Amino acid sequence: MNRLLLLLSFVCLTMFSKAVEPAVKPEIQGGIIKGVVKDQALETPVEYATVSIYSMIDSTLIDGTITDANGAFFLKKLKPGNYFVEVSFIGYNKAVVRNIPINKKRKEIDLKTVSLRQSTEALDEVTVTTERIPVQYQIDKKVIPVSRQITAASGNAVDVLENVPSVSVDIEGNVSLRGSSNFTVLVDGKPSILDAADILEQMPASMIENIEIITNPSAKYDPEGTAGIINVITKKNKDSGITGVVNVNVGSHENNSADFLVNYRKKKWNFNFGLDYSRRGFEGSSESENRTEVQGITNYLLSSGDTERHRDGYGFKTGVDYDINEKNQLSFAFRYGTRDMERKSFLDYSEYAEGETPALYDSRDLWTREMDFINSSLAYTKKFKGKGHQWFTQVSISRRGNGDEESLNARFDANGQVSGQRSTEDGPGQRIEIRSDYTLPLGNDRKFEFGYQGQIRSSEADTKRFEYNTATGGYDFQPEYSNEVEYDRSVHGLYTTFADKMGILGYQLGFRTEFTDREVDYSGELEKFKIQQWDFFPTIHAQLDLGSRNQLMASYARRIDRPRGYYLEPFITWTDAYNVRQGNPDLDPEYIDSYELGFMKRFGDQSVSIESYYKVTHNKVERIRTPYQENVMLSSVANVGKDYSFGIEATLNLTFAKWFKNDLIGNVYHYKEEGSFETKNAFGESIVQDFSTESFNWSLRNNSTFILDKRTRLQMNINYQSPTDWAQGKRAGFLTSSLALRRDFFNRKLSATFQVRDVLGTFKHETEYMGEGFYNFNKFEMNSPVFRLNLSYKINNYKQNRGRRSENGVDVEDFEM
């Protein structure tokens, strides 16, 4: 261990000594003009943009260059005089910066950021909008602009993710990243007290600018989560004055929502305020068959009927940015919201033991969860001399209310209620995060970073169970199934990264170490379950520029998945009348080694990318199903062994004509799990069961966009997920489809989008679980199709920045001294 620490210390010192070498400034022979070209909407670098410099006197071309991978350009050996710079790239308006002086007092001019906007171009009698490439690849992430997903205009972040590479969404809105539901969701790079699913559900699509998919995060990011990170970037308007957007959505099956966001900027101050409300729901029919074998007797439980689910939420957000001066900025953000979820079922049941007459009854099941939350953050940015040289510090506090959860099951026969049970769980939670990041650029391509991130989490849970009393008609408290839990965990991490470029090879090396301090205290338990340990996470990212428009990318990252709080609870908790769960306080965290290799080629506004990935999970944690009682299933967790995933994901973005664009996304992977677990049979005897499995899985998505005219677009999406196998079951394949028509009015200030989801009526979810002494089958079919209408109005959204004007599709701006 001491040798390992010495080796790691030597590596860090070597990286630091290399990083802090002073950048050799070239001798200035004549004047210099430099800057960075970025996509105005994405705020990401534009590579291979053409930069030309002209004389202001007679518009004579003086020199030219193209931008590098960071969007940077550098023009030198300029004689004294006045110049203008023209920047162009396919699919964007030209940008011109005029009146740039070079003289004895100003030999080096930094234009800082030159922004490019999407362009429009005329073709015969039809004017079409040129769209940017739907996915932009950076050295450690994929950036997806939400503006292309018009079929998700009236939805939330989950609807947007249905059409994003590496992500899949099932019929119930459950999101997985490359086949795993265990990933981290960030909003503008910040975590939240909410679960990943809740964050995505409560974020309106209209407030999202971009979504970043980070499957192999660098050491700068929190390594928690097996599959990676989904970072949601919200819209921010930098125009002066008042700007904003208002959205109203109405739809079938009670799918209604509304939101607005207003931004006011004046000189050093920027304020924003927004409100949002949503009610989302879906209805359908369900059926199930459950068989359990207890002491050699097989028991049957069959059901069928109607199920409906609703999610309601509202909230408001506000924030303020204050530019103290050019080098110092303060930012404050606050958000409050609620989440109310409800699931109701009205089912007909048939219950019997083998050889007996079935007992028939009706069941009314109701599950509810009510929760409020608060997120707030305070950030300070200190900029130093040199572009990108800064220190950023942020403190975020998130708090969740009691999160009242209740499950009620009542069974009735011809004479009235015959049985029932009620389960409740409530308790608050809090999360504090402190981060401090220092960035030191050491030239155009070299950069050194180091920082600290700390997370302090605490939560309480109080679970209770009540059993229906046929004599009194009330519910009696059952203390043997009622428990209290206190969960405290703090994680403190230090990281460093170093990035550089040697010719066509760009690379980034990173190292992170974290200390975890965890304590779980259960009512009735004398022992407190504690963990204190150090973990280490190296990362490597490389990007190879293979000439014009070709890139080769490779990466390695080590990650961790710490057990969730309820995974550690050693007692029995009833979740409903037919299911109980039990945790395992001795669970070890999962450790993941993730490798990726990708190739991307662009030609015009088209692209093709192929990514291969290989992932190994150590200490694999699995949920294990076993019979608990007659027709009652027990779900427990254990470290069972290892799993392996190897796959290839391909994305093809094509433009067949000015009016027809098509995105095709395919993913094929092989999954293998090797493991076993120890359990007890119906006689209390310990037995070891094999938990190995192997499956071949694939998915295919096609998004077609038809540009009917400059104000009207039609988009069609089709998504197919293949069947997949698990160690204790399998899921059937399913097909989904959607259609959307969008029309812009009043110079694009007002947009109307009509959507139809599940056009073909194929939305369904079908699973089977099987093992020693049990068999479970569940099927749900949604009532389809679902219709939605979205109206979006932009307030001053096309107001130009000060000093910039548009001339025949060219953005013109005067250089400010």
Side-chain angles (χ1 to χ4, degrees), residues 429-486:
Q430 181 172 282
R431 176 173 182 162
I432 301 174
E433 184 188 31
I434 304 171
R435 60 182 300 174
S436 188
D437 305 309
Y438 176 73
T439 304
L440 176 64
L442 300 167
N444 288 336
D445 301 305
R446 184 181 298 177
K447 182 174 66 174
F448 174 72
E449 295 177 302
F450 69 85
Y452 160 82
Q453 292 181 9
Q455 295 180 10
I456 303 171
R457 305 182 63 172
S458 63
S459 63
E460 300 175 12
D462 184 6
T463 60
K464 294 184 172 72
R465 184 175 188 265
F466 304 83
E467 187 77 22
Y468 181 72
N469 188 323
T470 56
T472 64
Y475 286 82
D476 297 336
F477 177 62
Q478 293 189 300
E480 67 272 24
Y481 293 114
S482 303
N483 300 275
E484 295 181 3
V485 181
E486 293 183 5

Side-chain angles (χ1 to χ4, degrees), residues 210-307:
N210 306 309
I211 291 181
E212 297 177 348
I213 305 299
I214 311 172
T215 50
N216 255 8
S218 70
K220 184 175 182 177
Y221 293 95
D222 180 3
E224 184 82 24
T226 60
I229 296 172
I230 296 178
N231 188 20
V232 180
I233 307 298
T234 58
K235 290 182 177 179
K236 303 172 186 66
N237 202 306
K238 296 186 177 181
D239 292 342
S240 298
I242 297 177
T243 56
V245 60
V246 180
N247 294 278
V248 177
N249 306 289
V250 293
S252 60
H253 304 290
E254 298 186 72
N255 282 279
N256 305 310
S257 63
D259 62 81
F260 78 86
L261 180 65
V262 177
N263 194 90
Y264 175 69
R265 176 180 290 273
K266 186 175 183 180
K267 295 183 179 179
K268 295 184 177 182
W269 292 91
N270 180 65
F271 302 90
N272 63 73
F273 179 79
L275 290 172
D276 60 86
Y277 165 79
S278 67
R279 178 170 176 81
R280 295 172 56 83
F282 57 90
E283 303 171 353
S285 59
S286 62
E287 61 178 273
S288 67
E289 177 185 349
N290 297 310
R291 298 197 301 263
T292 55
E293 184 178 336
V294 179
Q295 297 181 350
I297 300 175
T298 302
N299 300 275
Y300 297 83
L301 184 66
L302 311 177
S303 72
S304 62
D306 298 324
T307 299

Side-chain angles (χ1 to χ4, degrees), residues 352-570:
Y352 59 98
E354 188 174 7
E356 295 182 356
T357 302
L360 305 178
Y361 57 88
D362 298 332
S363 176
R364 301 172 190 175
D365 303 327
L366 175 64
W367 175 86
T368 60
R369 185 182 182 189
E370 299 177 358
M371 177 182 64
D372 62 337
F373 61 90
I374 294 175
N375 296 327
S376 61
S377 65
L378 180 65
Y380 168 69
T381 303
K382 171 67 176 179
K383 297 182 179 180
F384 303 96
K385 185 178 180 180
K387 184 175 179 62
H389 186 192
Q390 69 175 32
W391 171 45
F392 173 79
T393 300
Q394 182 181 64
V395 178
S396 302
I397 300 177
S398 301
R399 182 170 178 81
R400 184 192 67 220
N402 275 336
D404 297 332
E405 183 175 329
E406 180 178 17
S407 173
L408 180 64
N409 306 95
R411 294 188 290 185
F412 301 83
D413 63 13
N415 299 317
Q417 185 169 354
V418 293
S419 65
Q421 77 102 37
R422 176 172 168 257
S423 301
T424 64
E425 180 175 348
D426 61 76
Q430 181 172 282
R431 176 173 182 162
I432 301 174
E433 184 188 31
I434 304 171
R435 60 182 300 174
S436 188
D437 305 309
Y438 176 73
T439 304
L440 176 64
L442 300 167
N444 288 336
D445 301 305
R446 184 181 298 177
K447 182 174 66 174
F448 174 72
E449 295 177 302
F450 69 85
Y452 160 82
Q453 292 181 9
Q455 295 180 10
I456 303 171
R457 305 182 63 172
S458 63
S459 63
E460 300 175 12
D462 184 6
T463 60
K464 294 184 172 72
R465 184 175 188 265
F466 304 83
E467 187 77 22
Y468 181 72
N469 188 323
T470 56
T472 64
Y475 286 82
D476 297 336
F477 177 62
Q478 293 189 300
E480 67 272 24
Y481 293 114
S482 303
N483 300 275
E484 295 181 3
V485 181
E486 293 183 5
Y487 179 85
D488 295 288
R489 191 186 80 182
S490 61
V491 179
H492 303 276
L494 294 171
Y495 77 89
T496 180
T497 67
F498 176 72
D500 199 359
K501 189 173 184 180
M502 299 183 299
I504 63 173
L505 174 64
Y507 65 90
Q508 181 186 82
L509 305 177
F511 181 79
R512 185 184 185 100
T513 182
E514 289 190 344
F515 177 75
T516 302
D517 184 3
R518 190 196 75 194
E519 180 176 300
V520 187
D521 187 12
Y522 307 106
S523 61
E525 294 280 349
L526 298 178
E527 179 185 3
K528 292 185 177 181
F529 297 91
K530 296 183 179 181
I531 286 181
Q532 291 183 330
Q533 66 182 39
W534 285 92
D535 293 299
F536 305 96
F537 306 97
T539 62
I540 302 173
H541 293 77
Q543 184 170 318
L544 196 65
D545 292 327
L546 303 175
S548 177
R549 318 292 284 168
N550 296 289
Q551 289 181 334
L552 184 66
M553 296 154 288
S555 63
Y556 163 77
R558 180 171 172 82
R559 298 186 60 76
I560 188 173
D561 181 37
R562 300 177 178 91
R564 303 175 185 179
Y566 66 87
Y567 275 16
L568 304 172
E569 300 171 356

Side-chain angles (χ1 to χ4, degrees), residues 239-240 800-805 813 816:
D239 292 342
S240 298
Q800 298 295 329
N801 289 327
R802 180 174 59 86
R804 177 170 292 218
R805 56 193 182 276
E813 186 173 4
E816 295 183 2

